[in-house]
Amino acid sequence: MIKIYSTLTRQLEEFKTIEPNVVKWYNCGPTVNGLMHLGHARSAIAFDTIRRYLEYRGYKVNYIMNFTDIEDRMIEVANQEKRSVLEVAEEYLSYFRRDMASLNLKPATVHPRAMLHMNPMIEFVQELEEKGYAYESNGDVYFDVRKFKEYGKLSNQKIENILQEGTEDAKNPNKKFPADFALWKAMKPGEPYWPSPWGKGRIGWHSECVLMSGLYLGELIDIHSGGQDLIFPHHENEIAQAEALRGKPFVNYWLHNGFINIDKEKMSKSLGNFVNIVELLEHYSADAVRLFILQTHYRSPIMFTDDVIDQAQVTSDRLFDVILLTKNYADEIMEKDESKLSELDKKLIEKTEKARNDFIEAMDEDFNTSNGFAVVFKFSNDVNDYLRKAENINSSAIKEADKLFDEFRSILGLYEDFNSYLSLDKVEKLIKLLIEIRGEYRKEKNWEMSDKIRDDLKEAGIALEDTPKRILWKLTE
RNA sequence: GCGGAGUUGGCAGAGUCGAUAUGCAGCGGUCUGCAAAACCGUGAACAGGAGUUCAAAUCUCCUACUCCGCUCCA
């Protein structure tokens, strides 16, 4: 049984989907006005892993993650760079896709974009207005939070404590009440716009996600997720719109990931202390970054220091080694005689089963990847031990271990590409070395050994050709 | 001010009433022609104070400190 902590109830709850074996999940994605940084990566990796785990547990996960491409900051950046918002969005979007791929993040089922959904959003705001939850004011449209009695329930705040006087937004004279939030923003000079019943303007950020989640997943969804900073006001405002309009619940489980801190401060765009993913990946592998993030439970804060990510790199490399060694042996064709299982074989098989169960147990408890990794590391010790101590490596035992490593890798999103590890460059060096050694044998007229090397290589798909001047080699098959 | 999370060994980080978390780094050992790797063992922690309990890192209260949200932000 999977348990999930929901921000709304502030406790662990049994995970039950609306439809059997299907998860409807909306994750609030980034605003594409800059490069992907470690904070985005934390959120994306945490939820990517949870998604992968749910898939492992047999769910079909319909995972929607938006890209916000029209927003105050988008316009700001566009003006700074003297380009259109669309151009800015296109460029950073492509960078995001690139960085997400390099972190081995699975693409969402759909990545919707606000700009492409302007008409249904306008209709959505109109409906809110018709039902009396929204009011127009000088071309803006605001949500009247006092009309929604449960406002504040997600962030656990009383309406009178929200938005104190003196904050920028509370002073907005178009609002009836300081906490009211914009559904539609009237165009200012130089801004992009869409026509609407209230004049030229654009959609407010908080409406985008409600509308798009409804469009792609339906009115009630299983999971809605994002960073902890989105609890208020963003998700609070989503609930207000969705539930006011529809008169029924919007989301069953609210998931929020913790932040990454640098020097005891949160990493954020506004503080300018963020670490870009492109730059980080120049020094550390994507696997190390994923491991660094997943070693900590997704709701806890992470302190970023060079030391800690260095440690993660070492750990990641060690883990990779044992998985690679296992794969090397699992790929070999060995006699499969299960009646000849040694004590060590049997023990390894037992440990494999136990590790799988322990891992599932850890992950079932609100996706506790810390405990999950503890299981993975213990198991990797056992396998390392087996690989060195077993008299004969039994194919059924090592293949089970390899299979479990594959499961771990696919859930945690680690070491996806073994082929790139065995690069042609390395193969080339290896072949040249063998040719050199064979040359020594030929000098000694040790034809038995030199022929063996040539024959065995040929069988492995590497053909050697002895020509007068040099030895040519090529890969066959 | 209001709301929330937290303070665990050298570092990171789980655990939440009774077991050895785990990783990195130490230290010792095993293996070993050399090198490397690996495995095993080991030391070391529960912010401070009071209370509840047979038993508390784990529950309650108090104190101190940290972080987050209340403003665009993952």
Side-chain angles (χ1 to χ4, degrees):
Chain A
M1 181 178 82
I2 297 174
K3 286 187 192 160
I4 289 190
Y5 180 93
S6 177
T7 307
L8 185 62
T9 57
R10 285 177 284 279
Q11 60 186 15
L12 285 182
E13 288 177 50
E14 188 182 336
F15 183 58
K16 283 185 184 157
T17 53
I18 301 157
E19 283 172 36
N21 304 319
V22 174
V23 180
K24 300 177 190 180
W25 183 346
Y26 189 92
N27 182 42
C28 278
T31 303
V32 285
N33 61 9
L35 290 173
M36 185 181 197
H37 62 69
L38 194 55
H40 297 122
R42 204 257 163 115
S43 184
I45 289 170
F47 294 129
D48 177 65
T49 304
I50 293 173
R51 174 197 183 186
R52 287 163 175 268
Y53 182 68
L54 290 173
E55 283 170 350
Y56 174 74
R57 296 288 262 118
Y59 291 98
K60 182 185 177 297
V61 182
N62 204 352
Y63 185 72
I64 310 297
M65 174 173 155
N66 70 305
F67 287 114
T68 297
D69 56 3
I70 177 75
E71 227 277 323
D72 291 16
R73 284 276 299 148
M74 290 294 304
I75 294 167
E76 232 176 82
V77 171
N79 287 343
Q80 273 167 17
E81 299 182 4
K82 299 203 161 68
R83 295 192 288 170
S84 74
V85 169
L86 186 65
E87 276 175 320
V88 171
E90 289 298 332
E91 181 175 352
Y92 286 116
L93 206 81
S94 71
Y95 293 150
F96 257 93
R97 289 187 195 280
R98 173 199 64 194
D99 293 343
M100 286 177 71
S102 56
L103 287 172
N104 198 18
L105 293 161
K106 289 176 77 170
T109 315
V110 182
H111 282 290
R113 293 169 55 181
M115 266 201 262
L116 308 175
H117 295 79
M118 209 48 83
N119 285 337
M121 287 187 199
I122 290 169
E123 286 164 26
F124 178 80
V125 175
Q126 267 184 302
E127 264 186 85
L128 278 168
E129 195 183 19
E130 279 162 21
K131 293 207 172 174
Y133 290 107
Y135 57 90
E136 191 266 331
S137 176
N138 283 327
D140 291 342
V141 181
Y142 293 95
F143 187 92
D144 192 343
V145 298
R146 287 173 298 182
K147 294 264 171 69
F148 182 66
K149 297 216 167 41
E150 292 179 301
Y151 193 75
K153 71 176 175 179
L154 183 69
S155 54
N156 195 28
Q157 298 180 89
K158 293 198 171 88
I159 202 162
E160 56 270 24
N161 291 331
I162 295 173
L163 272 200
Q164 298 180 326
E165 287 169 42
T167 62
E168 201 64 29
D169 219 30
K171 281 185 197 156
N172 182 343
N174 290 344
K175 289 182 181 182
K176 287 197 215 164
F177 185 72
D180 291 349
F181 57 90
L183 301 171
W184 183 262
K185 293 189 174 188
M187 183 193 80
K188 294 188 195 117
E191 287 187 350
Y193 65 89
W194 285 257
S196 83
W198 316 281
K200 293 173 181 176
R202 66 194 153 84
I203 195 73
W205 177 42
H206 305 304
S207 300
E208 164 187 344
C209 294
V210 185
L211 185 276
M212 294 199 295
S213 75
L215 221 51
Y216 289 93
L217 296 169
E219 293 189 342
L220 175 63
I221 66 176
D222 293 297
I223 298 176
H224 196 121
S225 58
Q228 262 165 14
D229 55 337
L230 298 185
I231 295 172
F232 189 90
H234 187 53
H235 287 163
E236 192 72 71
N237 291 351
E238 285 190 40
I239 291 177
Q241 295 169 74
E243 299 191 358
L245 189 67
R246 299 166 186 159
K248 60 185 181 190
F250 169 39
V251 171
N252 282 340
Y253 306 95
W254 284 96
L255 270 61
H256 293 99
N257 66 275
F259 268 74
I260 292 198
N261 298 320
I262 288 188
D263 297 329
K264 296 206 166 183
E265 257 185 344
K266 85 167 185 176
M267 176 183 295
S268 76
K269 283 182 194 168
S270 51
L271 293 170
N273 60 351
F274 50 86
V275 176
N276 286 332
I277 290 304
V278 209
E279 286 168 31
L280 192 67
L281 289 178
E282 283 172 14
H283 305 284
Y284 302 96
S285 69
D287 300 311
V289 175
R290 285 190 76 112
L291 192 137
F292 162 71
I293 283 165
L294 294 174
Q295 262 180 333
T296 306
H297 184 81
Y298 74 94
R299 283 192 281 116
S300 304
I302 297 181
M303 185 82 92
F304 177 84
T305 64
D306 290 344
D307 246 27
V308 174
I309 190 139
D310 282 344
Q311 285 181 15
Q313 184 68 61
V314 173
T315 306
S316 166
D317 291 345
R318 278 198 37 187
L319 185 58
F320 176 76
D321 282 348
V322 63
I323 293 175
L324 185 69
L325 290 172
T326 305
K327 195 154 284 301
N328 288 345
Y329 281 96
D331 285 347
E332 256 180 47
I333 298 154
M334 282 178 286
E335 216 176 312
K336 194 179 173 182
D337 189 351
E338 299 203 14
S339 63
K340 278 192 188 162
L341 287 172
S342 69
E343 275 309 301
L344 282 177
D345 297 332
K346 284 182 198 158
K347 264 191 192 154
L348 184 67
I349 290 170
E350 264 172 42
K351 281 175 174 170
T352 305
E353 277 167 26
K354 186 173 187 313
R356 180 182 285 112
N357 292 336
D358 288 351
F359 186 82
I360 289 172
E361 198 183 318
M363 290 295 282
D364 272 1
E365 195 77 6
D366 197 29
F367 315 105
N368 195 323
T369 48
S370 307
N371 284 337
F373 267 111
V375 175
V376 173
F377 291 134
K378 270 206 122 168
F379 180 65
S380 72
N381 286 349
D382 292 335
V383 175
N384 258 326
D385 207 27
Y386 173 85
L387 285 170
R388 286 163 176 84
K389 290 199 180 141
E391 290 292 334
N392 298 300
I393 289 176
N394 184 286
S395 68
S396 57
I398 200 68
K399 276 187 175 142
E400 274 306 304
D402 179 56
K403 193 170 157 245
L404 183 59
F405 275 137
D406 280 349
E407 290 169 28
F408 288 155
R409 287 195 305 115
S410 77
I411 295 165
L412 300 167
L414 296 173
Y415 322 115
E416 193 79 348
D417 195 0
F418 273 95
N419 294 332
S420 73
Y421 182 75
L422 287 172
S423 64
L424 189 63
D425 182 50
K426 281 178 189 162
V427 173
E428 208 175 301
K429 278 184 186 151
L430 191 66
I431 292 168
K432 283 183 176 157
L433 177 67
L434 280 167
I435 289 172
E436 203 183 311
I437 292 169
R438 181 167 170 270
E440 293 296 317
Y441 281 128
R442 292 177 79 209
K443 268 187 207 160
E444 294 166 13
K445 298 198 192 300
N446 186 341
W447 310 123
E448 197 189 329
M449 281 307 290
S450 63
D451 287 353
K452 179 180 163 53
I453 290 173
R454 188 174 53 195
D455 293 346
D456 286 3
L457 280 177
K458 189 172 186 183
E459 208 165 301
I462 300 155
L464 300 191
E465 231 180 285
D466 296 315
T467 68
K469 293 284 181 204
R470 63 188 57 82
I471 296 168
L472 301 174
W473 65 272
K474 64 182 175 189
L475 299 176
T476 57
E477 290 173 51

